[in-house]
Amino acid sequence: MALTEEHREKWLRVLGGYPDDEKPDPEHRLAVETSCSGFLGNMWTRATMPEVQGVSLAELETVFVQYHLSRPEPFSAAMLAAMTELADAPGGRRAAAKALERLGRLGVPPPSWYGEEMTLGECWKAGDVYGDQLTFFCSFHAPSGDQALSYTVDYSEYHFDMVVDCDATGDLDRLLELHRVRNAKSLDRLFVPVEADPAEVSAGTRRSLEDWDIFCVEGDARRLAPRFLMLRELWRARLRRFPRAEPAEVRQPSDDELSLFASGFLNHLLGRILLEARHVEAIRELCWFHGINGPKVSPTRAYVFLERWLPAKYEPGDPVVEAVRDLFIPFLRWTASATDLEPMAWPYLKFKAERWLDEFPSWSARDPDCARFPRPRSL
């Protein structure tokens, strides 16, 4: 759908509704960039939802530039200066730069930080010991002042990665200290911040930016973490200063790998339970799902398997479902040992799995497309 005058007028009203008493100081670079990023995040949610608007983000960025060009004041000049970095498309960044030049000819100069170099500083990471979640921390240096960003991602080899939190400040140590204190209290499932390679940061965040999980927010991008929407474009802009590294492809277990995995667990069960056909089928489901990208058990995998994968394939009363109930905790325990999960990380995983099993099978979500791999991008 092309940008209509109705859409254009709507967004001009939105941009014009920014309260004057909440506009940041044009000379405060991070505050201005955060404000600009927030508007772009708001526009992005609408551009990704054709049933709401169906207008591309590039078209909406044009409206943003036109609006601030028509208001020759320091705040508009600062927002355009931020757009030269934050606009999603190169064309949007060029349009903002040209608009800023025009404001300069009208007697409104750009902010003093415009055009200064922003260089990458330190990179750190913290997260859980299962590999379900990582928080990346990065510092950036510029003459106008340092910046620090954090970015927290929930990972799932089966579902798309989800951003659950972001932050921006001028003090990297403040961000790190919060995680050092909190994580040190839960070493059974969290690790304290350690230095990270910039390429790892790039690979660890790229998929969550490009393939946000429509399924987990029921198709409504506005239900994503608010601070992610506020800082998404700022993080994308800073990511251009990182060495580009692609995330690893999601790899299904081969027949040989699946057979080896299932055989190991079957041998473990011999003499412990009378195996029936339903148990064998349940074991195949367990091993296939938990064998993606190599055998691993974790709270996220357990939740997705019980609450998304099984409801997509089976009725609640299916014998395989009851067999999963019988085998799930023994399977997690055996796989945790076989994959060398830290022993102190087992109690929390067991606790979470048992809580989900209390209401299993709840079947609150039953979408058959969830059992397709890779999952359709339309979900």
Side-chain angles (χ1 to χ4, degrees), residues 128-134 154-158 161 207 251 253 261 286-302 305 328 331-341 349:
D128 72 22
V129 299
Y130 309 99
D132 283 347
Q133 184 182 97
L134 281 177
D154 275 353
Y155 294 101
S156 173
E157 288 87 350
Y158 180 65
D161 299 341
R207 192 169 70 166
R251 185 177 62 82
F261 192 6
L286 284 162
C287 290
W288 185 90
F289 187 90
H290 292 82
I292 296 174
N293 278 5
K296 187 181 81 169
V297 287
S298 73
T300 292
R301 283 202 183 195
F305 180 76
F328 196 58
F331 171 80
L332 294 181
R333 173 73 272 190
W334 178 81
T335 307
S337 298
T339 55
D340 295 325
L341 181 71
L349 173 57

Side-chain angles (χ1 to χ4, degrees), residues 88-109:
D88 186 65
R93 299 194 287 273
R94 290 194 296 269
K98 291 180 179 179
L100 197 57
E101 291 176 3
R102 291 182 62 181
L103 284 187
R105 292 195 291 270
L106 294 175
V108 183

Side-chain angles (χ1 to χ4, degrees), residues 24 35 42 69 85 105 107 132-133 147 166 192 202 246-247 249 263 268 298 348:
S35 178
N42 190 14
L69 178 59
E85 289 277 337
R105 292 195 291 270
D132 283 347
Q133 184 182 97
Q147 296 184 8
C166 295
V192 296
S202 176
E246 297 297 333
E249 292 292 326
S263 295
H268 171 72
S298 73
Y348 179 76

Side-chain angles (χ1 to χ4, degrees), residues 210-256:
E210 297 175 353
D211 286 327
W212 60 279
D213 201 328
I214 297 176
F215 179 83
C216 289
V217 292
E218 298 179 359
D220 188 346
R222 292 169 295 187
R223 292 179 57 190
L224 291 165
R227 286 201 288 189
F228 168 52
L229 299 180
M230 175 65 70
L231 297 173
R232 177 179 183 271
E233 291 302 330
L234 180 57
W235 183 268
R236 284 168 60 88
R238 294 293 176 265
L239 210 59
R240 298 187 196 112
R241 292 174 169 79
F242 287 71
R244 185 175 178 91
E246 297 297 333
E249 292 292 326
V250 176
R251 185 177 62 82
Q252 301 179 61
S254 67
D255 289 341
D256 288 344

Side-chain angles (χ1 to χ4, degrees), residues 71-86:
R71 282 156 179 76
E73 59 184 24
F75 174 70
S76 285
M79 291 290 269
L80 289 171
M83 273 288 281
T84 63
E85 289 277 337
L86 271 59

